[in-house]
Amino acid sequence: MISAGDFRKGVTIEYNNNVYVIVEFQHVKPGKGAAFVRTKLKNVVTGAVLEQTFNPSEKVENAHIETKKMTYSYSDGELYYFMDEEFELVPLNHDQVEDALKYIKENDTVTVRFYKGVAFSVECENFVELTIIEAEPGVKGNTATNATKTAVLETGAKIQVPMFVNEGEKIRVDTRTGEYMERVK
């Protein structure tokens, strides 16, 4: 159990039969009345955000989220299969892997998050290197400003890249923001 007075950003809690991660918290002590803790909670399974206030002495269950490094093996069209070090395959549906799919390809290592032994989300590395399979050629004289163009990556994701980046080049992408970082030699 954890008391609301001990809330910190990133702590996972069980509240109303759901698991939440604390995104924001603020201890408020008004001039009149009792102090309280204002929080913004994000449901780890659905991604829904909930704003909730707690009495600082109120206790909630601490949720233990297990993470495991796994390798993306393949997709059969409906399910996506990930393998751990013991060669055990874990099938996940599209909703559970949707955010990571834009930046992972077969044999990439990802972090799979589990709650009570059930996988609920997939997170890819913060930076990935992917090849551009489709991009318009840059037009000479179009680089006076920070002009960008749309490029399609080998995973099918579309991102904005500078005009000098061409089809067939390998680039580094920040998966947290979906932004181009640099070309990879």
Side-chain angles (χ1 to χ4, degrees):
M1 298 289 270
I2 184 171
S3 70
D6 295 331
F7 281 177
R8 298 289 173 259
K9 187 175 179 180
V11 172
T12 52
I13 61 169
E14 253 185 82
Y15 181 70
N16 287 345
N17 298 324
N18 288 309
V19 180
Y20 294 96
V21 63
I22 298 172
V23 179
E24 290 178 20
F25 73 97
Q26 181 181 18
H27 294 278
V28 180
K29 188 166 186 196
K32 279 183 168 179
F36 60 92
V37 180
R38 182 180 296 136
T39 61
K40 192 176 280 188
L41 309 171
K42 183 178 181 183
N43 188 314
V44 296
V45 178
T46 65
V49 176
L50 169 72
E51 291 188 16
Q52 186 68 39
T53 57
F54 294 92
N55 182 327
S57 61
E58 188 176 342
K59 293 198 180 294
V60 292
E61 191 71 38
N62 206 348
H64 297 286
I65 305 296
E66 181 187 340
T67 60
K68 194 187 283 189
K69 289 281 186 194
M70 300 184 91
T71 303
Y72 175 45
S73 292
Y74 67 95
S75 169
D76 65 5
E78 289 182 27
L79 296 174
Y80 300 86
Y81 294 88
F82 296 85
M83 186 184 304
D84 62 11
E85 292 88 34
E86 288 89 41
F87 302 106
E88 180 184 325
L89 279 178
V90 175
L92 298 173
N93 65 35
H94 186 270
D95 292 341
Q96 295 167 313
V97 299
E98 187 172 15
D99 294 337
L101 271 183
K102 295 185 279 192
Y103 306 111
I104 61 174
K105 53 191 187 299
E106 289 184 5
N107 298 320
D108 280 355
T109 301
V110 296
T111 302
V112 180
R113 298 173 73 194
F114 294 84
Y115 177 66
K116 293 186 177 175
V118 178
F120 65 85
S121 76
V122 175
E123 294 175 0
C124 51
E125 301 292 324
N126 289 341
F127 301 100
V128 293
E129 294 177 4
L130 296 167
T131 304
I132 296 176
I133 59 166
E134 190 179 309
E136 303 164 9
V139 178
K140 191 170 184 161
N142 221 7
T143 56
T145 61
N146 286 342
T148 60
K149 61 184 178 182
T150 302
V152 180
L153 303 174
E154 61 187 298
T155 59
K158 293 181 181 181
I159 67 165
Q160 294 296 311
V161 297
M163 291 297 222
F164 59 81
V165 177
N166 297 313
E167 198 172 293
E169 289 187 303
K170 188 173 257 198
I171 62 169
R172 181 169 287 121
V173 178
D174 185 339
T175 61
R176 298 166 295 187
T177 61
E179 293 178 358
Y180 163 87
M181 297 301 293
E182 62 187 352
R183 284 194 281 196
V184 179
K185 301 274 187 251

